[in-house]
Amino acid sequence: MTTTNAIQTRRSSDGRVALQNIEAMSGARKAAILCVALGDEAASEIFKYLDEEEVQAISKELAALNNVPSELANEIAEEFQQILTARSYVISGGVEYAKRLLVKAYGPEVARRLIDRITRSLESTIGFEALQKVDPQQLSKLFQNEHPQTIALVLAHLDAATAADTLQYLPETQRADILLRMANLQPISQDVIRRVSVVLDQKLRSIGNYSRQAVGGIRPVAEICNRLERETSRKILEELEKTNAELALEIRNRMVTFEDLLLIDDVGIREILQRVDKRVLAMSLKGTTPELQNRFFSNMSTRAAEMLKEEMDYMGQVRVKDVSAAQREIVEIMRDLDEQGIISLSGGAEEEYVS
């Protein structure tokens, strides 16, 4: 009983099939056999998350497969389950925690093999995850003398809040260029990421490789601009307009601003009121237009509106920075509600209805 690469099987005394040379089998061959075991529907879903080269490699192995012994498929499926379990343990509790649990579950030899494999694979993501924990001001210093393309690449792998905070500490003359490069990033090869990692590793410990995947694009750039100070965001977009007006317009269209409250109907405003802290709301409305303030006052009881106005008066003069921070907090609520479909930021202009 064989496959095309002559994997031999023999049955042990307990009836379990022991597979010789399974460790020597290529990853693509194992993936192909796993796809056969899972079935066409599940395999097609998996392919959606692979890049073109990976799909081609697995497809080539699929085409070369003849009859796959059920014992072989079961062994590979079990190995896949072990890897998933080990990865979950490492991510949730760390390597030492994973070792203890894996030794109990599979024995010391299998545990060691799984840990080695998982830690190697996690090296591809841990580098940029480590950067998430670095203070943004310190992180900006890490980028000194780095090319804007390198900075764009790294920022694209960070969450929007961390990237925005870091961008604030970078030279103003670089910000628009970095976001432009970030918006235009293409899928990055592992070789390029490896070279970037080597440079960063010299400046920050625990930087590793990063697997090929698509990063950047319009959406994360818009999210970063949403989190920047309004004046900073305005200057960056104005700089972008000089070099790429179409891109700047697209970014603006993806952004949510505090003024977009005027597009939200009364039901949506009441949804926001249920979720926002009243002191944050009072701070956000300081210095805004009467029209914006009335969007909230008109959707509150007379007593609640009076209390909110009293809170605003009691604050006296406030820093523009604090007002912007409060408005960004409300914008985040607006974004979340819009994504959930609870409110609409389209103003109803493009809504379609059926009877």
Side-chain angles (χ1 to χ4, degrees):
M1 187 160 47
T2 64
T3 63
T4 53
N5 67 341
I7 297 296
Q8 302 296 322
T9 66
R10 60 180 174 81
R11 190 168 297 278
S12 61
S13 57
D14 64 355
R16 180 182 175 85
V17 171
L19 298 168
Q20 297 176 336
N21 301 324
I22 192 172
E23 287 299 317
M25 188 184 298
S26 70
R29 172 57 62 91
K30 289 182 181 180
I33 295 174
L34 180 64
C35 287
V36 171
L38 294 175
D40 294 346
E41 186 174 345
S44 63
E45 287 298 314
I46 292 173
F47 276 23
K48 293 178 181 178
Y49 297 93
L50 304 179
D51 63 35
E52 187 176 341
E53 293 178 359
E54 291 169 334
V55 171
Q56 289 177 354
I58 296 173
S59 298
K60 182 179 179 181
E61 293 292 342
L62 282 168
L65 285 177
N66 290 327
N67 294 326
V68 178
S70 59
E71 295 91 346
L72 176 61
N74 289 339
E75 287 288 335
I76 289 176
E78 183 176 340
E79 181 182 353
F80 177 68
Q81 177 61 37
Q82 289 175 349
I83 292 172
L84 284 181
T85 302
R87 182 181 175 88
S88 174
Y89 289 163
V90 171
I91 291 175
S92 61
V95 173
E96 292 303 319
Y97 169 80
K99 282 181 180 177
R100 292 196 300 271
L101 295 184
L102 293 172
V103 167
K104 290 180 181 179
Y106 304 119
E109 183 61 27
V110 174
R112 181 191 60 76
R113 188 172 68 249
L114 288 171
I115 287 294
D116 287 345
R117 179 178 297 178
I118 294 304
T119 51
R120 282 197 304 270
S121 70
L122 287 178
E123 283 178 355
S124 66
T125 58
I126 197 168
F128 292 100
E129 288 175 357
L131 292 179
Q132 295 282 169
K133 302 175 183 179
V134 180
D135 177 75
Q137 188 171 8
Q138 295 300 318
L139 186 56
S140 68
K141 294 179 181 178
L142 181 71
F143 295 142
Q144 286 182 358
N145 302 319
E146 293 293 343
H147 192 279
Q149 187 72 11
T150 301
I151 301 173
L153 171 62
V154 177
L155 291 185
H157 286 84
L158 305 179
D159 65 59
T162 303
D165 289 342
T166 304
L167 198 67
Q168 294 271 30
Y169 292 106
L170 294 176
E172 186 174 327
T173 55
Q174 286 188 327
R175 295 172 188 169
D177 183 33
I178 290 169
L179 288 186
L180 177 63
R181 292 170 183 274
M182 182 177 166
N184 291 316
L185 276 177
Q186 300 298 316
I188 309 298
S189 71
Q190 191 172 7
D191 288 340
V192 172
I193 296 296
R194 186 178 293 111
R195 291 196 294 271
V196 172
S197 297
V198 168
V199 174
L200 292 178
D201 190 45
Q202 298 171 356
K203 300 182 178 182
L204 185 71
R205 294 176 183 177
S206 77
I207 296 296
N209 297 328
Y210 201 72
S211 57
R212 177 188 179 96
Q213 60 176 289
V215 294
I218 304 299
R219 183 180 178 84
V221 171
E223 289 178 352
I224 288 175
C225 288
N226 271 330
R227 290 169 169 82
L228 293 172
E229 295 287 342
R230 182 182 301 180
E231 185 64 16
T232 302
S233 177
R234 182 186 64 79
K235 289 180 179 179
I236 288 175
L237 289 173
E238 286 179 354
E239 287 298 316
L240 279 177
E241 279 182 330
K242 296 176 183 178
T243 55
N244 193 328
E246 185 177 345
L247 177 62
L249 177 60
E250 192 169 354
I251 292 172
R252 278 198 170 93
N253 289 340
R254 296 284 188 96
M255 290 175 64
V256 180
T257 67
F258 191 70
E259 285 71 22
D260 287 336
L261 284 165
L262 298 175
L263 301 175
I264 302 175
D265 59 21
D266 290 343
V267 175
I269 294 294
R270 288 193 287 271
E271 289 286 349
I272 295 172
L273 281 170
Q274 292 178 20
R275 292 165 172 80
V276 66
D277 180 86
K278 294 303 182 285
R279 180 167 176 80
V280 171
L281 178 59
M283 178 67 72
S284 72
L285 293 176
K286 291 285 288 185
T288 57
T289 64
E291 186 180 12
L292 269 173
Q293 294 176 2
N294 286 332
R295 292 299 297 125
F296 289 102
F297 295 154
S298 62
N299 282 283
M300 304 168 71
S301 67
T302 302
R303 177 58 183 156
E306 289 176 354
M307 291 176 64
L308 182 60
K309 293 175 183 178
E310 289 174 0
E311 176 74 20
M312 293 169 61
D313 291 339
Y314 179 77
M315 287 180 173
Q317 287 188 333
V318 294
R319 296 182 301 177
V320 173
K321 181 179 180 180
D322 293 335
V323 174
S324 296
Q327 290 181 353
R328 286 200 302 275
E329 190 170 330
I330 293 178
V331 165
E332 277 300 299
I333 295 174
M334 293 162 58
R335 283 165 46 81
D336 290 341
L337 292 175
D338 185 53
E339 289 177 0
Q340 296 173 38
I342 297 175
I343 68 173
S344 172
L345 292 170
S346 66
E350 299 180 1
E351 296 290 342
E352 295 183 1
Y353 298 90
V354 294
S355 58

